[in-house]
Amino acid sequence: MQERYSRQILFPPVGEKGQHALADSHVLIVGAGALGTASAEGLVRSGVGTLTIVDRDYVEYSNLQRQQLYTENDAKSHVPKAIAAKRRLEEINRDVHIHALIEDADADLLRPLFEQADLVLDATDNFETRMVMNDLSLHTNTPWVYGACVSSQGMYMTILPNETPCLSCVLTTMPVGGLTCDTAGIISPAVQMVSAYQQTEALKYLTENREQIERKFVNFDIWQSTFFKMDISHIKRQDCPTCGTKRTYPYLNDQRKKTTVLCGRDTVQIMSKDLANLSFQLIKERLSSICEVDINDFLIHVRFENYRIVIFKGGRALIHGTNDGKVANSLLARLLGL
Ligand SMILES: [Zn+2]
């Protein structure tokens, strides 16, 4: 095996055999923000064979403090994160096949990616996407490593389908989340620590050291140097809709509106089947009776009260001027009767 991996091969749990297994493996990373760039760099350096990375955003200056693959030039040119990450990762290790997707990570997009991947790392910033990932993990029998960080705190948990509890089982027992990077801030070492654990879990899984995988829910505060492990073996629920005996995979069959607050943008994105079912002409007619409408081949743009609303063909809308999903949804309801 090449000299570049010699120190990793010397580590007995990896060895030559593990290094070959890594080269044959395919990891999906959902999100190319702080966690995603840290984990992508680590796995590419370690010699994983194929990496797929999905992100819908572009690079901004506020990302540079902790999103380690990006440069000032990327921010200046608004380069999509997936593309900027791929460019940098290929400079680091050209033997790794990198697939970069500039997309919203919804169930339809992620399903085939889960089917192709050996393992998935969570590098998202929201629970809606995580719940979709959780359903897909059980549905496609693909393990994933949940990870989150905010302020100086971080947590992670490895989900092995049909073996460990799933994220849904855990969330009904303990409150997770609430704080976001936009309200509570974040320091880079908290990111590095979550990513280090996620990468380590990936290495264990991919080099066939599966008995070494962490089965507890891990929580830490790097500023306080505190670290907790919580036993979750008893919380796997028979009636869990994702991993129980009667599975409905609620986040894969969700016909409701899908609402996303876009981090730090004062904007809410709504993806809605009801909206997709309305013809563009009908939307135009309804809106024209209330306010002034700008329309082109791709979108309808209106100003209403203190908001700007952009409705794309295909059922996606951006509501500028609010960070509140309820406000955005009720606005769309008032305008279009959805
Ligand atoms: Zn479950």
Side-chain angles (χ1 to χ4, degrees):
M1 191 57 75
Q2 309 93 310
E3 191 190 348
R4 75 186 292 155
Y5 304 121
S6 59
R7 302 304 187 275
Q8 185 168 278
I9 290 168
L10 278 174
F11 180 65
V14 176
E16 290 275 356
K17 191 165 159 262
Q19 193 63 46
H20 282 293
L22 265 181
D24 287 338
S25 61
H26 182 171
V27 176
L28 166 65
I29 300 182
V30 183
L35 284 175
T37 52
S39 292
E41 178 166 348
L43 291 178
V44 162
R45 287 188 188 277
S46 77
V48 69
T50 307
L51 183 76
T52 298
I53 191 154
V54 186
D55 196 284
R56 69 177 170 210
D57 254 325
Y58 57 86
V59 181
E60 296 176 276
Y61 282 101
S62 65
N63 303 148
L64 300 181
Q65 164 247 1
R66 66 197 180 286
Q67 302 188 12
Q68 68 188 51
L69 294 173
Y70 307 136
T71 64
E72 290 179 359
N73 270 339
D74 294 328
K76 194 171 152 197
S77 316
H78 308 305
V79 181
K81 288 182 178 180
I83 300 303
K86 178 178 159 76
R87 285 181 191 154
R88 176 69 183 137
L89 292 167
E90 285 174 344
E91 285 174 357
I92 291 168
N93 190 344
R94 63 183 157 176
D95 294 334
V96 180
H97 303 286
I98 315 262
H99 301 289
L101 298 165
I102 314 163
E103 301 275 1
D104 196 59
D106 63 12
D108 291 340
L109 182 94
L110 289 177
R111 191 189 307 260
L113 303 182
F114 265 70
E115 283 165 357
Q116 290 154 18
D118 298 304
L119 177 79
V120 181
L121 296 188
D122 168 25
T124 64
D125 58 2
N126 67 85
F127 267 91
E128 189 156 0
T129 308
R130 289 186 180 114
M131 298 316 283
V132 170
M133 292 169 68
N134 190 52
D135 271 359
L136 283 172
S137 160
L138 271 293
H139 194 250
T140 64
N141 200 27
T142 312
W144 70 295
V145 188
Y146 158 74
C149 46
V150 66
S151 181
S152 55
Q153 301 157 26
M155 55 188 81
Y156 79 95
M157 168 188 171
T158 303
I159 292 126
L160 301 171
N162 304 311
E163 206 175 319
T164 64
C166 77
L167 188 64
S168 182
C169 292
V170 172
L171 289 181
T172 53
T173 332
M174 61 176 113
V176 177
L179 295 173
T180 72
C181 299
D182 288 330
T183 55
I186 186 153
I187 55 170
S188 185
V191 175
Q192 298 296 331
M193 192 148 161
V194 173
S195 173
Y197 280 118
Q198 288 184 296
Q199 289 175 53
T200 306
E201 292 297 285
L203 288 178
K204 289 178 196 170
Y205 185 81
L206 299 171
T207 60
E208 285 161 26
N209 287 284
R210 291 177 196 181
E211 69 290 349
Q212 299 289 308
I213 284 171
E214 178 59 67
R215 309 296 168 117
K216 293 184 173 159
F217 189 96
V218 177
N219 202 328
F220 65 83
D221 187 318
I222 200 165
W223 193 265
Q224 305 291 342
S225 295
T226 52
F227 183 93
F228 303 102
K229 273 193 191 185
M230 205 176 308
D231 182 5
I232 49 172
S233 56
H234 58 287
I235 65 162
K236 190 163 164 56
R237 290 166 43 209
Q238 290 300 310
D239 64 344
C240 173
T242 300
C243 76
T245 47
K246 285 184 186 154
R247 301 179 184 185
T248 57
Y249 303 115
Y251 290 85
L252 302 187
N253 304 310
D254 195 356
Q255 299 297 312
R256 295 168 303 175
K257 291 191 193 81
K258 190 182 155 202
T259 304
T260 319
V261 177
L262 299 189
C263 225
R265 302 275 184 80
D266 203 26
T267 298
V268 174
Q269 174 179 271
I270 296 174
M271 292 167 82
S272 155
K273 290 199 167 63
D274 294 338
L275 189 57
N277 289 336
L278 289 182
S279 76
F280 227 43
Q281 185 58 31
L282 190 64
I283 295 173
K284 185 188 162 195
E285 280 167 18
R286 285 195 194 169
L287 291 175
S288 301
S289 63
I290 309 167
C291 47
E292 201 167 313
V293 173
D294 277 332
I295 186 164
N296 66 26
D297 288 344
F298 313 101
L299 57 87
I300 296 173
H301 178 279
V302 297
R303 283 177 192 280
F304 181 70
E305 296 176 350
N306 295 322
Y307 308 98
R308 269 192 317 118
I309 298 140
V310 181
I311 300 172
F312 296 84
K313 276 188 174 163
R316 190 164 71 96
L318 293 176
I319 318 295
H320 299 287
T322 180
N323 279 321
D324 186 333
K326 283 190 188 131
V327 170
N329 272 302
S330 76
L331 203 62
L332 216 53
R334 278 164 67 200
L335 289 170
L336 295 172
L338 292 176

